[in-house]
Amino acid sequence: MSPKAKRTLIGAGIVLAVVGYALLLWRGPWWLDGGHLREHDLQPADGVVIAGVRTALVALGAGIVAGIGLWYTHRSHRHAEKLYQHSQEQFEHAREKDREQAELTREGQVTDRYVEAIKLLGSDNLTERLGGIYSLQRIMDDSEKDHTTVVNVLTAYIRHACPVSFEDGSASSRKEDIKRLRRQGRLKPHLADGSGSRPSLPEDIHAAVSVIAFRPVLESEAPIDLQMVDLSGAHLIGGANLSSTNFWAAKLESATLRSVDLSGSYLAAAKLRAANLIRADLRDAELAGADISGAIIDRASLEGANLNGANLAGTIVGAARLAGTILTNADLRHTDFTGSDLEYATGVTVEQLKVAQIYHSTMLPQELWDHPDVQARIARCEEAEVLGEIP
């Protein structure tokens, strides 16, 4: 049915309804109660009946009109709701399109920034390389999806720029390490090469390491790959996070890693001679075969760390937390255990303690503490301390 025919039909229906209602008001009393009403010579009683019927019809009509009004209002409301919902859907669709467009624009900008940063990173000019590194940092901070890519690029840059040299003339045997420490007059933190100056990182490498160490850490982040890199002289302090980093065979000699998070890191065969590891977090770190001679690990967390076969000659252990630390076959010659708690460390033997610096302040398992050789070593160390000698 066409809309015009439908409107005509509705109009005719309304006219018929109005005419019918008017007729009902006029003749309704007689149609409904004609047996008790007179057609002529109406009496007061007839008037009461007629008025009552017409009043009821008026009320009924008013109710019907009100019902129609409510139905129409409800229908209009539903229609308005549909229009609103449709407009909201259109608005959301438009907004989603805008978001997609904005995301595409942002992705394009990030890509352009990334390309420019990589170009700067390959420059021969130090200032431009630094600019490239800090541009990558901004990209990593601004774009979580580019986080891993930036970290991988920076670690690859460090590995390429500072690889460990296996022909490094500064490497020496453990006996030479001890001799060098003795020549200094005390077994304390020492210079990595004995030349009178500490090694230092190139400025761009230091910047790249700092960006990685102070990055926003993601929950699903992959381990950082810095194996076989030479980061001697690196300087990082509290707040740096290098947990679960692969430092296999890396050089961190004379590095300042104070209060740095290295928990779960793989430092097997790494060189940490003369490193400052005060308050560092080395829980569950793998340090098997590592060279930590002359380092300071006082108040560091080493719970669960594996130091099997590690070189701790001349290391200041102090109040490092060693519960569950594995010291099997570790070189403890002149290792300073002043105030250390070795009661729950594992793998410690009498032979190791006989060459370490131990005192009455050193806490040991009872079976080791009671051993006469250990008691003799404690007496020798305390006597040497009074005389200002090296035991």
Side-chain angles (χ1 to χ4, degrees):
M1 183 182 295
S2 65
K4 183 177 181 181
K6 188 175 181 180
R7 286 195 297 271
T8 302
L9 186 60
I10 291 172
I14 292 173
V15 170
L16 288 174
V18 170
V19 172
Y21 184 68
L23 288 173
L24 189 61
L25 284 176
W26 177 37
R27 298 300 301 171
W30 285 273
W31 293 346
L32 297 174
D33 200 14
H36 299 88
L37 294 176
R38 300 178 180 84
E39 290 287 342
H40 306 286
D41 300 326
L42 296 177
Q43 298 298 316
D46 298 326
V48 171
V49 173
I50 293 170
V53 171
R54 287 177 174 169
T55 300
L57 290 173
V58 169
L60 178 63
I64 292 172
V65 171
I68 293 172
L70 288 174
W71 173 81
Y72 183 77
T73 302
H74 175 70
R75 184 170 176 271
S76 299
H77 179 68
R78 290 290 301 275
H79 181 65
E81 281 185 339
K82 289 180 179 179
L83 288 176
Y84 175 76
Q85 185 176 1
H86 181 65
S87 64
Q88 286 294 104
E89 289 174 355
Q90 288 183 321
F91 175 73
E92 286 296 328
H93 180 71
R95 190 163 65 174
E96 184 63 29
K97 287 292 185 183
D98 290 342
R99 277 198 294 262
E100 290 176 0
Q101 186 60 44
E103 182 66 19
L104 288 173
T105 302
R106 193 184 71 84
E107 288 291 334
Q109 292 172 345
V110 169
T111 301
D112 292 341
R113 288 166 57 194
Y114 178 78
V115 171
E116 289 301 316
I118 295 299
K119 289 179 180 178
L120 291 172
L121 206 59
S123 172
D124 293 331
N125 183 283
L126 173 61
T127 303
E128 291 181 351
R129 292 199 302 274
L130 287 172
I133 290 167
Y134 291 123
S135 292
L136 288 173
Q137 181 185 29
R138 287 292 304 274
I139 292 170
M140 180 171 57
D141 292 340
D142 295 342
S143 176
E144 184 175 312
K145 62 190 297 185
D146 294 299
H147 179 281
T148 301
T149 300
V150 171
V151 171
N152 290 340
V153 167
L154 291 176
T155 53
Y157 178 74
I158 295 168
R159 291 195 304 272
H160 176 74
C162 293
V164 166
S165 172
F166 290 102
E167 299 175 357
D168 192 338
S170 66
S172 60
S173 66
R174 292 186 179 184
K175 183 179 292 187
E176 290 170 340
D177 289 340
I178 297 300
K179 288 180 180 178
R180 175 170 44 76
L181 292 172
R182 285 187 183 280
R183 285 197 302 270
Q184 294 175 349
R186 57 178 181 169
L187 293 166
K188 297 293 183 181
H190 53 276
L191 304 181
D193 56 8
S195 64
S197 62
R198 287 186 179 274
S200 60
L201 282 179
E203 195 170 349
D204 55 334
I205 300 303
H206 184 270
V209 172
S210 297
V211 168
I212 293 171
F214 292 97
R215 73 200 180 283
V217 180
L218 303 182
E219 291 184 5
S220 58
E221 189 174 71
I224 296 170
D225 185 4
L226 288 174
Q227 57 182 318
M228 299 179 65
V229 296
D230 188 350
L231 297 178
S232 299
H235 186 88
L236 297 170
I237 55 176
N241 190 327
L242 291 170
S243 59
S244 302
T245 298
N246 183 359
F247 278 117
W248 176 74
K251 286 184 65 175
L252 291 157
E253 296 181 354
S254 298
T256 298
L257 301 172
R258 187 178 182 124
S259 301
V260 172
D261 186 354
L262 290 162
S263 59
S265 291
Y266 192 80
L267 287 149
K271 294 187 179 299
L272 291 148
R273 294 190 303 172
N276 181 344
L277 291 161
I278 296 174
R279 296 186 183 277
D281 187 348
L282 287 159
R283 289 173 297 171
D284 301 314
E286 179 59 59
L287 288 151
D291 184 355
I292 318 175
S293 58
I296 311 177
I297 57 176
D298 183 40
R299 290 165 288 169
S301 300
L302 285 151
E303 295 97 326
N306 182 12
L307 289 159
N308 187 359
N311 180 8
L312 291 166
T315 298
I316 298 177
V317 176
R321 293 186 287 279
L322 300 165
T325 304
I326 300 171
L327 292 167
T328 306
N329 299 319
D331 187 346
L332 302 182
R333 285 178 293 169
H334 300 285
T335 304
D336 189 343
F337 285 111
T338 305
S340 301
D341 185 354
L342 290 166
E343 188 172 0
Y344 298 104
T346 62
V348 183
T349 65
V350 172
E351 294 302 315
Q352 288 173 305
L353 295 176
K354 283 167 62 177
V355 295
Q357 291 181 211
I358 53 177
Y359 306 87
H360 278 99
S361 63
T362 306
M363 299 180 65
L364 298 169
Q366 194 64 45
E367 63 273 14
L368 294 177
W369 181 265
D370 294 336
H371 198 283
D373 289 345
V374 173
Q375 287 298 314
R377 181 60 180 173
I378 291 174
R380 172 66 186 122
C381 289
E382 295 195 337
E383 180 185 0
E385 186 178 35
V386 172
L387 297 174
E389 299 176 350
I390 299 174

